[in-house]
Structure formats: C-alpha cells, structure tokens
Amino acid sequence: MKEWVHQLNKAFENRVRLGIMSVLMVNEAVSFNRLKELLGVTDGNLASHLRALEKLDYVEMKKTFLDRKSHTTYDVSALGRKAFTEHLNALESLLKP
Amino acid sequence: MDQKEHIEALKDIRQMMQRSVRFLSLSGLSGIFAGIYALAAAYLAYLKLESGAGRTDARGTLIYLMALALGCLILAIGTAFFFTRKNARKKGLKLWDDSARLAFINLSIPLATGGLFAIALIRAGAIGFVAPATLVFYGLALINASRHTFPMIRQLGILEILLGLIAAFVWGHGLLFWAIGFGLLHIVYGLFMYFKFERS
C-alpha cells in the first residue's frame, strides 16, 4: 500500500481541484461560469484553485472575444491529463483489496 | 486521507464527469407521451387513407397528413419541455446548460436535414419514401445526440434506423413502420427510462 501513497499527487488533494480536473478531462473549453455552476463554489475560491493548477501547467487558460466581451475558457493540458490519470490510477490501486 | 475519503473522492470525480457532459434531465415521460401522440396521429392518418380520400383529393390528403405530423411534433416537443423542466427542478439541475445545448444542437442537425429531405421527397412525388427517410434521419439524430445525454438513446437510434431501412425495402407499409418507430419504440423506451432513472 505504501508505494501507492507516494504516487498520489498533492496538487489534486483539494476537492475543488479534483472537480475542476474531472470536468476539464471530459469537456473541451469550459468557461469560468460553467465551472462555477457545476462545482458550486465562489468566484474567488475557484479562481485561486484555477491559478494554482495553471502555475503547475496542468490547465490552460484561453481568452477569446464573444460579441466584444472577453470570454475566458479553460482546458486541461497534456501534462495535466497525464498527471490526473496517474492520480486516478493511484487512487484506484489504493482502494483495491 | 483515509480509505473512505478516497472512495468519496472517486465518487465525486465520476459524478462530476457525468454531470458536466451529459444532459440528464431528459424525462422518460416525454417519450411516453410522444409515443401516444404518434400512435393517435397514425390512427387518424390511417382513417383518412382508408376513406379513399387519397384518390379523390390527393392534394387535400397530403396537406391533412402534413398538418397531422406537424401538430404531433409540436405537441411532443411541448410535452417534452414541460416534463424535462419538472425533472430538472427535482434534480436541482439547470434545464438549459452547456450539456443541454450540445445535446440539442447535435440532435437538430440530422433532424433538420431529414425534415428538408422529406419535403424534397414529397415534392418529387416519392411519398412512399417519406416514412423510411424520417425514421432513418431520426435514428441518426438520436445516435448523434446520445453522446450528450443518456447512452440508452443510442440504442433507440439504432432501432429507428433499422426500422427505417426495413420500411424502405418492404413496400407499402410506411404508416405501420412509422407507428412502430415513433409510437411504440418511444413508449417502450420512455417507460424504461422513467422507471430506471426517475421512479426512485
């Protein structure tokens, strides 16, 4: 059991981050508001967790313009996809009897 | 984190992945009602055709049948909207979010194509191909939308396509296949969805 614990990624220990990553893994280009709606968290909370994941290069932010209004979307990076998959595998192995 | 927390985390992840991609408020009741409307419309169409009006007043009959189909479609969509909104409220989900939008767009593209194609068939006088064509296009629309809603919708789509293809080769029973595809199959799948996902 011990070796699996080391493969768990500290970056994903928070529930909000787990949520962000799960949503981004299965959707392309998710907006800030959509993430907020799905996770039910405050603006500031979501923004700080997104920033943390961005710093690790796990998520990518894209700013586009829709009707002259800026529209921010997020997507998971290749690195983030790999890291999250490994985290999930570690979680699953941990739970296997 | 202990074992229990890890299990909770995995549950959260799975739920979030499901909820964010799939439009899960679609109510089975809307399928049941759509099926009932379709069966009623098919019966009315049958009565009209049996009365021999097709030979004496072909144009009038055609307009009657098209009005019947359109009325049936509007009723079905209205009912679907009503039950699905109710279901969304019960589950505490939004009726119109990104996953609903994706499901709707992906359903609409093949469906609108099929509708226009059916109009072209009627104009060309190939009335016998209207029922098979609408069944096939409707099936394709369901398969296309199933990625964004209940996976079971994909199965229903495949059955509709099969039915449409059989109808295209077996000649002269368009109305019967139409009643099975839009009536019976909707009722069966609607009941199944209702008891599996809503009645608990």
Side-chain angles (χ1 to χ4, degrees):
Chain A
M1 168 156 165
K2 264 182 195 146
E3 65 254 42
W4 292 116
V5 175
H6 296 296
Q7 286 180 35
L8 285 172
N9 195 330
K10 279 243 175 354
F12 303 130
E13 264 182 13
N14 177 286
R15 281 227 165 160
V16 178
R17 292 189 199 175
L18 270 183
I20 294 171
M21 290 305 286
S22 342
V23 172
L24 295 185
M25 287 289 279
V26 289
N27 291 278
E28 38 188 303
V30 183
S31 72
F32 187 87
N33 286 336
R34 172 76 171 148
L35 275 174
K36 208 176 84 178
E37 180 189 307
L38 282 165
L39 301 170
V41 289
T42 60
D43 277 29
N45 194 353
L46 179 58
S48 71
H49 285 301
L50 277 169
R51 213 171 304 126
L53 290 171
E54 253 181 273
K55 255 194 197 140
L56 291 162
D57 286 324
Y58 286 170
V59 307
E60 286 161 355
M61 185 185 72
K62 256 181 233 138
K63 269 200 197 289
T64 51
F65 285 90
L66 263 181
D67 301 326
R68 291 195 191 163
K69 268 183 281 176
S70 78
H71 182 72
T72 315
T73 59
Y74 295 86
D75 209 345
V76 64
S77 69
L79 184 69
R81 193 170 284 278
K82 189 168 162 277
F84 194 63
T85 310
E86 278 167 6
H87 181 75
L88 286 186
N89 288 340
L91 266 181
E92 262 163 21
S93 317
L94 191 70
L95 295 173
K96 258 181 217 149
Chain B
M1 283 211 263
D2 61 10
Q3 184 111 343
K4 223 177 112 201
E5 268 179 87
H6 289 308
I7 294 176
E8 284 297 306
L10 275 177
K11 264 192 205 152
D12 271 3
I13 291 166
R14 192 167 302 139
Q15 199 203 3
M16 205 41 79
M17 285 177 163
Q18 274 271 323
R19 186 185 265 202
S20 67
V21 224
R22 293 187 186 278
F23 171 57
L24 299 173
S25 307
L26 183 67
S27 171
L29 288 175
S30 44
I32 301 172
F33 276 90
I36 293 170
Y37 300 148
L39 283 182
Y43 182 66
L44 287 177
Y46 174 76
L47 287 182
K48 182 79 177 173
L49 291 171
E50 275 300 284
S51 71
R55 262 150 278 144
T56 52
D57 181 15
R59 208 185 140 75
T61 307
L62 194 61
I63 291 171
Y64 176 81
L65 293 181
M66 283 177 78
L68 206 58
L70 196 69
C72 188
L73 186 71
I74 291 170
L75 255 177
I77 291 172
T79 314
F81 180 76
F82 175 77
F83 284 119
T84 301
R85 194 180 57 179
K86 223 170 112 181
N87 199 18
R89 281 206 187 136
K90 205 175 84 187
K91 289 186 179 177
L93 297 175
K94 265 197 176 173
L95 174 65
W96 192 247
D97 60 7
D98 278 21
S99 47
R101 196 175 49 85
L102 279 174
F104 181 75
I105 292 172
N106 284 297
L107 181 81
S108 300
I109 296 171
L111 207 59
T113 311
L116 291 174
F117 195 76
I119 292 173
L121 285 174
I122 293 172
R123 277 195 49 156
I127 312 280
F129 276 111
V130 172
T134 47
L135 282 167
V136 167
F137 277 103
Y138 181 56
L140 290 171
L142 289 179
I143 289 177
N144 208 32
S146 66
R147 226 171 73 81
H148 302 285
T149 181
F150 295 97
M152 215 168 65
I153 298 294
R154 186 185 167 83
Q155 257 179 53
L156 176 61
I158 291 170
L159 289 178
E160 300 280 4
I161 291 176
L162 278 177
L163 213 56
L165 286 176
I166 296 169
F169 285 100
V170 180
W171 202 237
H173 299 284
L175 195 58
L176 177 69
F177 282 103
W178 213 88
I180 297 174
F182 289 100
L184 214 61
L185 283 184
H186 273 158
I187 294 175
V188 171
Y189 269 80
L191 280 172
F192 195 74
M193 272 178 62
Y194 182 68
F195 284 107
K196 188 159 182 207
F197 302 111
E198 287 160 61
R199 269 261 77 142
S200 48

